[in-house]
Amino acid sequence: MVLAELGGKLRSSLQRLQSPSTDPLTTESLNALLSDITRALIESDVNVKLVMTLRSNIQKSVGDAVADAANNTNANTAVNINRMVQKAVVEELTSMLTPSGENGAINKPYNIKKGKSNVILFVGLQGAGKTTSIAKFAHYYQRRGFKTCMVCADTFRAGAFDQLKQNATKLRVPFYGSYTEADPVVIAEEGVDRFVQDKYEVIIVDTSGRHRQEEALFDEMQEISAAVQPDNTIFVMDATQGQAVYDQALAFHTAVNVGSVIVTKLDGHAKGGGALSAVAATGSPIIFLGSGERFDD
């Protein structure tokens, strides 16, 4: 399971604090514990800046208490200070994993509603697996009785429309796109308008990606977003990108209001720590994990 190795390392570090016979932590042993935790996180591709912030916050929270208790031989003091450190570590890890906005409120996943048109915009870099994720997303809601459809506004990648068309045909889901119209904003707007008129409930819009972050990509995304007014924007991230994920997710979130994250390619050698970075960068929850090419993966 993704992140299982990281979880094991973190548990192993924290279990050292749970033994009744454990001596109280000293400043040196606290630093050693934090070094173990930060190393495990960085090795799992969690963003370095996030990890250093986590370490600093824990140090500020319990550092003075640990220093004061170091010379105390009372057994209860040892147990209490170790529990305090364990609680601080768990709280910081939980905070990193909790999607929250600038005001600190927890961001919950968008709830797709029956009986209304829910416009869902997919964004991400080329090769992240957007088009495949769209098919899986459509399949998920189609099986739950929603009227689902797809719009291909990716005019950049050769074969994008053909791929979406092929997936839609397999799923027996209506789709909209064009071989002749070059403006993705026009395609997106026309497609969404048509499916809203036909009372489709889940209208999924595919957008162009790039091999890297480009100004043109973000301008295009913003124009499409303004045209279709999505109820939810989903950032699709490639788990194999490792440390690069945080900056990618932050750039996309700055350009458009990312509301959810889908993590792909977890069936390969990805360590998965980038998923934690994406949550921190966007303040958005992870709604699906992709691990293969089939619609049920």
Side-chain angles (χ1 to χ4, degrees), residues 114-156:
K114 277 271 193 183
K116 76 173 286 283
S117 294
N118 303 268
V119 179
I120 313 298
L121 183 67
F122 272 65
V123 300
L125 291 182
Q126 186 171 322
K130 278 197 312 301
T131 307
T132 301
S133 296
I134 283 171
K136 293 178 181 182
F137 191 86
H139 180 58
Y140 178 87
Y141 283 100
Q142 181 191 42
R143 291 183 62 182
R144 282 154 182 78
F146 287 84
K147 275 188 78 178
T148 306
C149 59
M150 304 181 194
V151 177
C152 181
D154 181 355
T155 57
F156 180 79

Side-chain angles (χ1 to χ4, degrees), residues 48-70:
V48 174
K49 288 181 284 188
L50 286 178
V51 176
M52 291 300 104
T53 299
L54 176 139
R55 177 173 183 148
S56 175
N57 289 345
I58 296 171
Q59 198 101 41
K60 288 175 185 174
S61 175
V62 299
D64 289 343
V66 168
D68 292 342

Side-chain angles (χ1 to χ4, degrees), residues 144-296:
R144 282 154 182 78
F146 287 84
K147 275 188 78 178
T148 306
C149 59
M150 304 181 194
V151 177
C152 181
D154 181 355
T155 57
F156 180 79
R157 179 171 66 90
F161 181 38
D162 287 330
Q163 184 186 355
L164 183 137
K165 181 178 176 182
Q166 185 180 41
N167 288 338
T169 303
K170 286 179 182 176
L171 291 171
R172 296 181 180 177
V173 166
F175 60 91
Y176 183 88
S178 175
Y179 287 113
T180 55
E181 176 59 63
D183 188 343
V185 180
V186 171
I187 295 172
E189 195 166 20
E190 287 181 352
V192 168
D193 285 346
R194 177 177 297 187
F195 286 127
V196 167
Q197 287 174 12
D198 292 341
K199 295 185 169 27
Y200 277 85
E201 296 167 313
V202 182
I203 304 171
I204 309 166
V205 182
D206 190 11
T207 60
S208 300
R210 298 288 190 275
H211 290 299
R212 57 189 175 83
Q213 294 158 212
E214 293 177 359
E215 201 65 40
L217 167 64
F218 294 132
D219 289 345
E220 182 181 294
M221 278 193 313
Q222 289 169 331
E223 289 175 20
I224 292 174
S225 183
V228 303
Q229 295 292 304
D231 296 288
N232 188 24
T233 299
I234 297 176
F235 172 62
V236 180
M237 63 148 280
D238 177 353
T240 64
Q241 291 294 305
Q243 288 287 333
V245 166
Y246 180 85
D247 290 333
Q248 289 174 8
L250 189 60
F252 275 88
H253 186 58
T254 302
V256 290
N257 184 26
V258 173
S260 307
V261 176
I262 290 178
V263 185
T264 64
K265 304 186 183 180
L266 289 171
D267 49 333
H269 298 291
K271 298 172 186 176
L276 311 189
S277 300
V279 170
T282 63
S284 305
I286 296 170
I287 54 171
F288 290 109
L289 301 175
S291 59
E293 293 292 326
R294 296 178 303 178
F295 296 141
D296 288 320

Side-chain angles (χ1 to χ4, degrees), residues 17-26 29 62 64-86:
L17 301 175
Q18 294 177 329
S19 172
S21 61
T22 303
D23 293 330
L25 281 172
T26 62
S29 55
V62 299
D64 289 343
V66 168
D68 292 342
N71 296 322
N72 196 320
T73 57
N74 188 301
N76 287 333
T77 302
V79 171
N80 290 338
I81 202 71
N82 290 357
R83 281 178 180 166
M84 182 192 298
V85 172
Q86 185 177 25

Side-chain angles (χ1 to χ4, degrees), residues 82-97:
N82 290 357
R83 281 178 180 166
M84 182 192 298
V85 172
Q86 185 177 25
K87 183 171 181 285
V89 172
V90 171
E91 284 178 350
E92 281 299 320
L93 287 169
T94 303
S95 177
M96 181 192 292
L97 284 166

